Amino acid sequence: MKLLKKHKEVVMVLLYGIFYMISFSYLEQGRTQTAYYIIHTQIDEWIPFCELFVVPYLLWFAYVGITLFYVTFINKDQFYKFVRSLVFGTITFIIISAVYPNMQDLRPTVFERDNIFVGVVRILYMTDTPTNVFPSLHVYMSLIANMTICDEGAFKKNGRICCISQLLCISIILSTMFIKQHSVIDVGMGIVMAYMAYARFYKQEQAMNRKWIEIWNN
């Protein structure tokens, strides 16, 4: 019990991770729903396929993972903001996928080039289905990670780290469209949700903290 109490943040993340993976696996493989709404726009047709963007797309896992490690073990003041945002985004995603099963048909069937990056994209396509793509969690969690890193009390005063984080965040968002993993609609909804989470769990909390500090000082 002492060990669990000492590392309660880790336990919380693990338990929620198990819940999310079970829910996601059911949506992907367990249910018998076969009718999917296709998410596709004309703008998606104008965006060319570029296999080089698979690099920032895969860097997302390290980006979000390192941020989660940081708030869990190093800066616990940021932990609840990050986790609340994570839960908000993933629960919303699960609900939308359950009531509005969706998929995209943007992936190329023939590649103009054959190189190591195209090979990685082929593997990615085989391991990741084109279903349940709205909203894009890649986009949502990238923005939440960037907001956490550049938030007050984290690395806000370290301009170099914030700049690197912002550039990586933007490149990940672009990668979802350039390797045809998501439609611009998925990306747009991911951005809207991220700023909803920021307004609720970051900005509002900062304003409340400043208000209580002013009351205490007076």
Side-chain angles (χ1 to χ4, degrees):
M1 291 301 295
K2 288 181 179 179
L3 187 65
L4 291 176
K5 187 175 181 180
K6 183 178 179 180
H7 299 287
K8 61 181 180 180
E9 292 87 0
V10 180
V11 176
M12 289 172 60
V13 171
L14 288 175
L15 289 177
Y16 182 74
I18 292 171
F19 163 76
Y20 172 74
M21 291 307 299
I22 292 174
S23 302
F24 182 74
S25 296
Y26 171 74
L27 291 173
E28 286 286 280
Q29 301 172 359
R31 65 180 177 181
T32 57
Q33 173 73 49
T34 55
Y36 288 91
Y37 296 94
I38 304 296
I39 298 179
H40 191 132
T41 70
Q42 182 59 47
I43 299 176
D44 296 315
E45 299 291 336
W46 298 338
I47 300 173
F49 172 81
C50 182
E51 67 272 17
L52 293 177
F53 275 95
V54 75
V55 176
Y57 186 88
L58 294 178
L59 284 176
W60 177 86
F61 295 96
Y63 184 46
V64 174
I66 290 172
T67 305
L68 180 59
F69 177 86
Y70 170 75
V71 300
T72 304
F73 295 101
I74 300 175
N75 190 339
K76 293 185 179 181
D77 292 336
Q78 300 287 319
F79 177 80
Y80 288 101
K81 296 179 187 179
F82 184 83
V83 169
R84 285 169 186 164
S85 300
L86 183 151
V87 171
F88 167 73
T90 51
I91 288 293
T92 303
F93 169 78
I94 288 171
I95 293 173
I96 291 175
S97 298
V99 301
Y100 183 74
N102 56 86
M103 67 178 297
Q104 54 97 337
D105 57 355
L106 304 171
R107 294 177 174 181
T109 55
V110 178
F111 297 95
E112 297 179 0
R113 297 169 293 276
D114 188 13
N115 53 50
I116 187 172
F117 301 107
V118 170
V120 174
V121 171
R122 285 196 178 102
I123 295 173
L124 179 64
Y125 285 179
M126 288 189 293
T127 56
D128 187 15
T129 68
T131 57
N132 299 318
V133 294
F134 175 81
S136 170
L137 286 185
H138 242 71
V139 170
Y140 176 81
M141 288 308 303
S142 295
L143 286 167
I144 294 301
N146 181 63
M147 292 170 183
T148 300
I149 291 170
C150 297
D151 184 42
E152 292 182 6
F155 294 105
K156 186 175 182 179
K157 295 181 179 179
N158 193 321
R160 182 176 298 178
I161 291 180
C162 284
C163 183
I164 292 172
S165 175
Q166 288 165 0
L167 290 174
L168 180 57
C169 179
I170 292 170
S171 65
I172 290 172
I173 292 172
L174 292 175
S175 75
T176 63
M177 295 177 285
F178 277 101
I179 65 169
K180 302 301 179 179
Q181 282 288 86
H182 286 283
S183 165
V184 292
I185 297 178
D186 308 329
V187 172
M189 185 60 178
I191 293 172
V192 170
M193 283 175 50
Y195 281 94
M196 287 172 60
Y198 176 73
R200 175 62 183 87
F201 303 118
Y202 287 81
K203 197 170 183 178
Q204 187 178 48
E205 185 170 327
Q206 289 169 4
M208 291 178 63
N209 290 340
R210 283 193 290 267
K211 183 178 180 180
W212 281 110
I213 290 172
E214 289 175 2
I215 293 174
W216 176 261
N217 291 335
N218 292 332

